[in-house]
Amino acid sequence: MEFRALTVSELNNYLKRVLINDPILNSISVEGEISNLKQHKNGHLYFSLKDEKSKVNCVMFNSEVKKIKFNIENGLNVIVSGYVSIYERDGIYQLYVRNIKPVGLGELYLAFEQLKKKLQNEGLFDKEKKKRLPYIPKKVGVVTSPSGAAVRDIIKVMRRRLPSADIIIYPVLVQGVRAADEISSAIKFFNQMDDIDVIIVGRGGGSIEELWAFNEEIVAKAIYESKIPVVSAVGHETDFTISDYVADLRAPTPSAAAELVVPDIIELKEKIFLQYKRLIKSYEGYIKNKRNLIKNYKASISSNRFIEKITVTRQKLEYCYRELLNSFDKYISNNLNSINLLNERLNSLNPKKILNRGYAIPIKEDGEIVKSIYDVINGEILTLILNDGSIKVKVMDKSSALGVDSK
């Protein structure tokens, strides 16, 4: 019986089907060192995986390459996962890589160290390029999640320390695929405004995966290119991100960022008053010293004409002294008026005054303030904070401002 000869294409196609249907070769992991790395213009990676005795050709398509956070380099020891098949045109078997992980180091840790080294070499961490923060900012931009603890901490601290400072919140995602783009866009938005004095960028604590948006190059470049000073406040004191190294100042927590950005108004009052006392004391000493000199000259010289000159000079000095005291009294009075205006503005923000006018603050059982009808459900028990106490109420029904049923 005579068998028909196969064509080369038929042979390669048959072997390809054999390899694809093999359960081991269809899902396999191989460890080795990367060499002969090349990236095609379409984004596909071509490289060899080798050990001491052998090597295998590998292909990783662009769609899979985009999922890798670290840079794939020659000499890197890795474990690749994928399947074995034949490139029919050349009759060469290849390992088609679906995923790749570094051996010994975590993927995110390796990506962090690679980006850190790259940006450091580009000069993004240079201390001489850091911008100084304004001593008393009038308007502060905050880039963070609108619902996290970080934004509440920042507002609370700033309102306590410097009530006159305006806070502009730019709400963004702080984790996930779109987070880095939103954070960088927020920084660029504030740079288009002409009245923002400083920007706080940050979020509360979390794992390295949750903080990863602040390790993205797009965020680092946005911070570096910002004309406005940027304070990075990501996670807890032990958490370090790329944003911390690029920012003009790193704060260990969001609350600490608020303390670093604005001074304490109470301390400002004390400093002004202390300087006033020191200045008056200094000039009193100066006048006393001059009077003693005049007294000594008067005692040592008996000439009536000279004594007359001394008297005239003393009168001039006393006049200058009174004028100087009046000037400083006016200066201190103006500064105290400014401080009083700040106190009045702080008192105007006191929620107690709002309650005195007949308003109430609804609070849920978990302590959250109700800001919208969508924050509550029918039948839910609320506490109404009034001027002279509180009452418990039950939500019987609700409707929107447009009269649409919001059940």
Side-chain angles (χ1 to χ4, degrees), residues 214-237:
F214 299 90
N215 289 322
E216 295 283 3
E217 185 171 359
I218 187 174
V219 174
K221 290 292 180 66
I223 293 174
Y224 178 75
E225 294 169 0
S226 174
K227 298 177 182 178
I228 304 170
V230 177
V231 177
S232 176
V234 182
H236 302 301
E237 189 167 356

mmCIF file of all heavy atoms in Angstrom, residues 214-237:
data_model
loop_
_atom_site.group_PDB
_atom_site.id
_atom_site.type_symbol
_atom_site.label_atom_id
_atom_site.label_comp_id
_atom_site.label_asym_id
_atom_site.label_seq_id
_atom_site.Cartn_x
_atom_site.Cartn_y
_atom_site.Cartn_z
ATOM 1 N N PHE A 214 0.029 56.065 42.121
ATOM 2 C CA PHE A 214 1.017 57.086 42.462
ATOM 3 C C PHE A 214 2.435 56.633 42.128
ATOM 4 O O PHE A 214 3.405 57.342 42.400
ATOM 5 C CB PHE A 214 0.902 57.450 43.939
ATOM 6 C CG PHE A 214 -0.440 58.022 44.294
ATOM 7 C CD1 PHE A 214 -1.471 57.194 44.693
ATOM 8 C CD2 PHE A 214 -0.677 59.383 44.194
ATOM 9 C CE1 PHE A 214 -2.724 57.707 45.008
ATOM 10 C CE2 PHE A 214 -1.924 59.915 44.502
ATOM 11 C CZ PHE A 214 -2.944 59.068 44.905
ATOM 12 N N ASN A 215 2.556 55.439 41.520
ATOM 13 C CA ASN A 215 3.845 54.943 41.021
ATOM 14 C C ASN A 215 3.902 54.953 39.497
ATOM 15 O O ASN A 215 4.844 54.420 38.911
ATOM 16 C CB ASN A 215 4.102 53.515 41.526
ATOM 17 C CG ASN A 215 4.398 53.471 43.005
ATOM 18 O OD1 ASN A 215 5.067 54.355 43.531
ATOM 19 N ND2 ASN A 215 3.899 52.458 43.691
ATOM 20 N N GLU A 216 2.907 55.541 38.852
ATOM 21 C CA GLU A 216 2.864 55.578 37.399
ATOM 22 C C GLU A 216 3.670 56.780 36.876
ATOM 23 O O GLU A 216 3.657 57.868 37.479
ATOM 24 C CB GLU A 216 1.422 55.685 36.916
ATOM 25 C CG GLU A 216 0.557 54.472 37.240
ATOM 26 C CD GLU A 216 0.811 53.284 36.325
ATOM 27 O OE1 GLU A 216 1.705 53.372 35.477
ATOM 28 O OE2 GLU A 216 0.123 52.269 36.476
ATOM 29 N N GLU A 217 4.327 56.589 35.751
ATOM 30 C CA GLU A 217 5.176 57.643 35.183
ATOM 31 C C GLU A 217 4.365 58.876 34.795
ATOM 32 O O GLU A 217 4.840 60.005 34.927
ATOM 33 C CB GLU A 217 5.939 57.107 33.967
ATOM 34 C CG GLU A 217 6.936 58.108 33.400
ATOM 35 C CD GLU A 217 7.826 57.500 32.339
ATOM 36 O OE1 GLU A 217 7.664 56.292 32.069
ATOM 37 O OE2 GLU A 217 8.689 58.215 31.786
ATOM 38 N N ILE A 218 3.140 58.699 34.337
ATOM 39 C CA ILE A 218 2.323 59.837 33.910
ATOM 40 C C ILE A 218 2.037 60.775 35.086
ATOM 41 O O ILE A 218 2.012 62.003 34.943
ATOM 42 C CB ILE A 218 0.997 59.341 33.265
ATOM 43 C CG1 ILE A 218 0.232 60.524 32.669
ATOM 44 C CG2 ILE A 218 0.138 58.585 34.266
ATOM 45 C CD1 ILE A 218 -1.005 60.089 31.897
ATOM 46 N N VAL A 219 1.848 60.217 36.287
ATOM 47 C CA VAL A 219 1.630 61.042 37.485
ATOM 48 C C VAL A 219 2.924 61.736 37.893
ATOM 49 O O VAL A 219 2.924 62.923 38.241
ATOM 50 C CB VAL A 219 1.095 60.174 38.643
ATOM 51 C CG1 VAL A 219 1.005 60.990 39.931
ATOM 52 C CG2 VAL A 219 -0.272 59.608 38.290
ATOM 53 N N ALA A 220 4.037 60.991 37.837
ATOM 54 C CA ALA A 220 5.338 61.581 38.186
ATOM 55 C C ALA A 220 5.668 62.766 37.282
ATOM 56 O O ALA A 220 6.135 63.818 37.748
ATOM 57 C CB ALA A 220 6.427 60.517 38.096
ATOM 58 N N LYS A 221 5.425 62.617 35.982
ATOM 59 C CA LYS A 221 5.726 63.699 35.040
ATOM 60 C C LYS A 221 4.813 64.913 35.283
ATOM 61 O O LYS A 221 5.256 66.063 35.178
ATOM 62 C CB LYS A 221 5.563 63.195 33.600
ATOM 63 C CG LYS A 221 6.635 62.193 33.163
ATOM 64 C CD LYS A 221 7.993 62.856 33.065
ATOM 65 C CE LYS A 221 9.089 61.884 32.630
ATOM 66 N NZ LYS A 221 8.932 61.382 31.269
ATOM 67 N N ALA A 222 3.550 64.659 35.617
ATOM 68 C CA ALA A 222 2.627 65.768 35.883
ATOM 69 C C ALA A 222 3.064 66.557 37.117
ATOM 70 O O ALA A 222 2.999 67.792 37.139
ATOM 71 C CB ALA A 222 1.204 65.231 36.077
ATOM 72 N N ILE A 223 3.522 65.868 38.151
ATOM 73 C CA ILE A 223 4.010 66.542 39.365
ATOM 74 C C ILE A 223 5.265 67.340 39.056
ATOM 75 O O ILE A 223 5.414 68.493 39.462
ATOM 76 C CB ILE A 223 4.278 65.510 40.478
ATOM 77 C CG1 ILE A 223 2.971 64.863 40.942
ATOM 78 C CG2 ILE A 223 5.000 66.153 41.660
ATOM 79 C CD1 ILE A 223 3.147 63.742 41.936
ATOM 80 N N TYR A 224 6.188 66.731 38.304
ATOM 81 C CA TYR A 224 7.459 67.396 37.989
ATOM 82 C C TYR A 224 7.244 68.642 37.132
ATOM 83 O O TYR A 224 7.916 69.664 37.311
ATOM 84 C CB TYR A 224 8.368 66.410 37.260
ATOM 85 C CG TYR A 224 9.694 66.986 36.845
ATOM 86 C CD1 TYR A 224 10.688 67.210 37.780
ATOM 87 C CD2 TYR A 224 9.952 67.308 35.520
ATOM 88 C CE1 TYR A 224 11.913 67.744 37.409
ATOM 89 C CE2 TYR A 224 11.171 67.842 35.136
ATOM 90 C CZ TYR A 224 12.144 68.057 36.089
ATOM 91 O OH TYR A 224 13.351 68.587 35.718
ATOM 92 N N GLU A 225 6.305 68.575 36.196
ATOM 93 C CA GLU A 225 6.061 69.691 35.287
ATOM 94 C C GLU A 225 5.150 70.767 35.887
ATOM 95 O O GLU A 225 4.949 71.816 35.275
ATOM 96 C CB GLU A 225 5.447 69.156 33.989
ATOM 97 C CG GLU A 225 6.402 68.281 33.190
ATOM 98 C CD GLU A 225 5.720 67.535 32.048
ATOM 99 O OE1 GLU A 225 4.487 67.705 31.883
ATOM 100 O OE2 GLU A 225 6.407 66.770 31.354
ATOM 101 N N SER A 226 4.621 70.512 37.081
ATOM 102 C CA SER A 226 3.723 71.488 37.715
ATOM 103 C C SER A 226 4.482 72.761 38.087
ATOM 104 O O SER A 226 5.555 72.720 38.682
ATOM 105 C CB SER A 226 3.098 70.872 38.976
ATOM 106 O OG SER A 226 2.345 71.838 39.675
ATOM 107 N N LYS A 227 3.911 73.906 37.732
ATOM 108 C CA LYS A 227 4.487 75.192 38.119
ATOM 109 C C LYS A 227 4.135 75.537 39.565
ATOM 110 O O LYS A 227 4.761 76.397 40.168
ATOM 111 C CB LYS A 227 3.967 76.292 37.186
ATOM 112 C CG LYS A 227 4.349 76.086 35.721
ATOM 113 C CD LYS A 227 3.740 77.169 34.845
ATOM 114 C CE LYS A 227 4.074 76.942 33.370
ATOM 115 N NZ LYS A 227 3.433 77.965 32.496
ATOM 116 N N ILE A 228 3.115 74.866 40.092
ATOM 117 C CA ILE A 228 2.664 75.084 41.461
ATOM 118 C C ILE A 228 3.320 74.042 42.353
ATOM 119 O O ILE A 228 3.401 72.874 41.979
ATOM 120 C CB ILE A 228 1.131 74.966 41.537
ATOM 121 C CG1 ILE A 228 0.470 75.939 40.561
ATOM 122 C CG2 ILE A 228 0.632 75.207 42.955
ATOM 123 C CD1 ILE A 228 -1.019 75.711 40.401
ATOM 124 N N PRO A 229 3.788 74.416 43.550
ATOM 125 C CA PRO A 229 4.371 73.425 44.467
ATOM 126 C C PRO A 229 3.389 72.303 44.769
ATOM 127 O O PRO A 229 2.197 72.540 44.977
ATOM 128 C CB PRO A 229 4.682 74.246 45.723
ATOM 129 C CG PRO A 229 4.798 75.654 45.241
ATOM 130 C CD PRO A 229 3.846 75.788 44.096
ATOM 131 N N VAL A 230 3.895 71.070 44.769
ATOM 132 C CA VAL A 230 3.058 69.894 45.001
ATOM 133 C C VAL A 230 3.543 69.155 46.252
ATOM 134 O O VAL A 230 4.733 68.886 46.400
ATOM 135 C CB VAL A 230 3.095 68.928 43.795
ATOM 136 C CG1 VAL A 230 2.274 67.676 44.086
ATOM 137 C CG2 VAL A 230 2.573 69.618 42.543
ATOM 138 N N VAL A 231 2.601 68.821 47.132
ATOM 139 C CA VAL A 231 2.887 68.026 48.325
ATOM 140 C C VAL A 231 2.281 66.641 48.114
ATOM 141 O O VAL A 231 1.085 66.517 47.835
ATOM 142 C CB VAL A 231 2.297 68.673 49.594
ATOM 143 C CG1 VAL A 231 2.548 67.778 50.812
ATOM 144 C CG2 VAL A 231 2.900 70.049 49.814
ATOM 145 N N SER A 232 3.117 65.612 48.229
ATOM 146 C CA SER A 232 2.642 64.236 48.081
ATOM 147 C C SER A 232 2.294 63.682 49.454
ATOM 148 O O SER A 232 3.116 63.698 50.366
ATOM 149 C CB SER A 232 3.717 63.366 47.413
ATOM 150 O OG SER A 232 3.304 62.014 47.349
ATOM 151 N N ALA A 233 1.072 63.169 49.600
ATOM 152 C CA ALA A 233 0.615 62.626 50.888
ATOM 153 C C ALA A 233 -0.095 61.304 50.625
ATOM 154 O O ALA A 233 -1.321 61.227 50.635
ATOM 155 C CB ALA A 233 -0.318 63.617 51.583
ATOM 156 N N VAL A 234 0.692 60.266 50.395
ATOM 157 C CA VAL A 234 0.150 58.973 49.976
ATOM 158 C C VAL A 234 0.346 57.942 51.080
ATOM 159 O O VAL A 234 1.479 57.678 51.495
ATOM 160 C CB VAL A 234 0.820 58.478 48.682
ATOM 161 C CG1 VAL A 234 0.200 57.152 48.246
ATOM 162 C CG2 VAL A 234 0.685 59.513 47.580
ATOM 163 N N GLY A 235 -0.758 57.372 51.556
ATOM 164 C CA GLY A 235 -0.676 56.273 52.507
ATOM 165 C C GLY A 235 -0.255 56.700 53.896
ATOM 166 O O GLY A 235 -0.557 57.793 54.371
ATOM 167 N N HIS A 236 0.488 55.793 54.546
ATOM 168 C CA HIS A 236 0.970 56.025 55.899
ATOM 169 C C HIS A 236 2.442 56.407 55.867
ATOM 170 O O HIS A 236 3.060 56.497 54.809
ATOM 171 C CB HIS A 236 0.755 54.768 56.750
ATOM 172 C CG HIS A 236 -0.677 54.339 56.819
ATOM 173 N ND1 HIS A 236 -1.668 55.158 57.311
ATOM 174 C CD2 HIS A 236 -1.289 53.187 56.435
ATOM 175 C CE1 HIS A 236 -2.838 54.519 57.251
ATOM 176 N NE2 HIS A 236 -2.637 53.331 56.717
ATOM 177 N N GLU A 237 3.019 56.594 57.057
ATOM 178 C CA GLU A 237 4.391 57.079 57.167
ATOM 179 C C GLU A 237 5.393 56.121 56.529
ATOM 180 O O GLU A 237 6.420 56.536 55.997
ATOM 181 C CB GLU A 237 4.735 57.298 58.642
ATOM 182 C CG GLU A 237 6.067 57.997 58.857
ATOM 183 C CD GLU A 237 6.236 58.472 60.285
ATOM 184 O OE1 GLU A 237 5.292 58.315 61.071
ATOM 185 O OE2 GLU A 237 7.316 58.980 60.603
#
